[in-house]
Amino acid sequence: MVSLYTNITNLPSNNTKQVFARRSFLPEYQNGLWKIETGFVRTFTYLEDGTTVALGLWGPGDVVGKALSKLEPYQMECLTKVGATVLPLEEWTELTETLLSHIQQAQELMVIRSHKKVDTMLIKLLAWLSKKFGSEVEKGRLIDMRLTHEDLAEMVGSTRVTITRVLGQFEQEGLIDRLSLHRIVLREEDIWYYEI
């Protein structure tokens, strides 16, 4: 099995914005963090059996980095084209705020994954994504992150096949509209009964 852990390297000499392609990985720096300027990043780790465990989803203004986790491996994958700037850890003055943001997101995702039924977990995840990253459109809130069914399955600890089936069910019930490029419009006013 190929190790996903890459060697932690030294910080680049300047703090210029770097651009990363979709599905590429942000490099790990021993003494630095990444501030996301544009695009979306997911952080995750793997269990011994190869199961992916989602740790968070991050967008513009969020800060990620190996220094914020003790997990091995710790991966930072670009879900879209990403523009990010390296922040030297010793110069980052908002470390407490960053840590609180990571703790809060971990707790929110833990609660979502604690539901017993996949459809409940998935609708809660979509509601969370629409609140955190969505934008208002005519028919609801657009989640424009290009998350695949596999990405969603990994977030809730399910399978791609199950997520595909449940998304189809949500679409038939009028809870969501699926658009091209894995984008979803969530009709928030119609999901109230999943809150009960």
Side-chain angles (χ1 to χ4, degrees):
M1 181 173 179
V2 176
S3 173
L4 291 175
Y5 180 72
T6 56
N7 289 333
I8 296 176
T9 57
N10 293 326
L11 290 177
S13 57
N14 57 17
N15 286 6
T16 59
K17 179 176 167 182
Q18 297 179 46
V19 178
F20 299 90
R22 181 176 191 267
R23 296 295 178 190
S24 64
F25 292 87
L26 297 178
E28 297 174 6
Y29 293 117
Q30 190 171 359
N31 299 319
L33 301 170
W34 286 102
K35 182 171 185 180
I36 302 166
E37 307 290 342
T38 58
F40 299 98
V41 172
R42 75 175 180 142
T43 52
F44 64 94
T45 190
Y46 286 99
L47 301 179
E48 293 81 15
D49 67 0
T51 302
T52 300
V53 179
L55 301 174
L57 290 171
W58 312 98
D62 290 328
V63 176
V64 296
K66 175 69 178 134
L68 298 172
S69 177
K70 293 216 180 263
L71 295 174
E72 287 295 337
Y74 177 84
Q75 298 288 302
M76 299 170 285
E77 181 184 25
C78 300
L79 292 174
T80 61
K81 182 177 176 182
V82 170
T85 306
V86 174
L87 304 168
L89 199 53
E90 67 275 359
E91 294 175 19
W92 185 238
T93 58
E94 300 170 28
L95 192 55
T96 301
E97 185 179 318
T98 299
L99 290 172
L100 287 174
S101 173
H102 279 251
I103 291 167
Q104 290 163 353
Q105 187 172 130
Q107 290 173 345
E108 290 167 344
L109 292 174
M110 193 181 328
V111 168
I112 289 169
R113 288 200 56 176
S114 294
H115 290 278
K116 303 291 184 238
K117 295 172 59 181
V118 173
D119 60 341
T120 304
M121 282 190 280
L122 185 57
I123 202 71
K124 297 283 188 184
L125 178 63
L126 293 175
W128 180 79
L129 289 169
S130 76
K131 208 177 296 176
K132 183 166 172 68
F133 301 111
S135 58
E136 205 66 41
V137 294
E138 186 179 329
K139 293 184 176 184
R141 292 194 53 87
L142 174 64
I143 304 167
D144 191 11
M145 297 180 70
R146 296 179 69 177
L147 292 167
T148 65
H149 295 186
E150 185 70 29
D151 293 332
L152 292 170
E154 289 172 354
M155 292 295 297
V156 298
S158 185
T159 65
R160 183 196 54 76
V161 172
T162 301
I163 295 303
T164 300
R165 180 184 52 78
V166 173
L167 285 173
Q169 173 191 324
F170 288 168
E171 194 168 30
Q172 284 181 340
E173 293 174 10
L175 300 175
I176 65 170
D177 287 325
R178 290 192 281 182
L179 308 175
S180 62
L181 300 174
H182 304 287
R183 297 174 304 153
I184 296 173
V185 174
L186 179 69
R187 297 181 179 181
E188 290 181 309
E189 69 278 356
D190 294 332
I191 66 167
W192 64 270
Y193 62 88
Y194 275 95
E195 301 292 329
I196 297 172

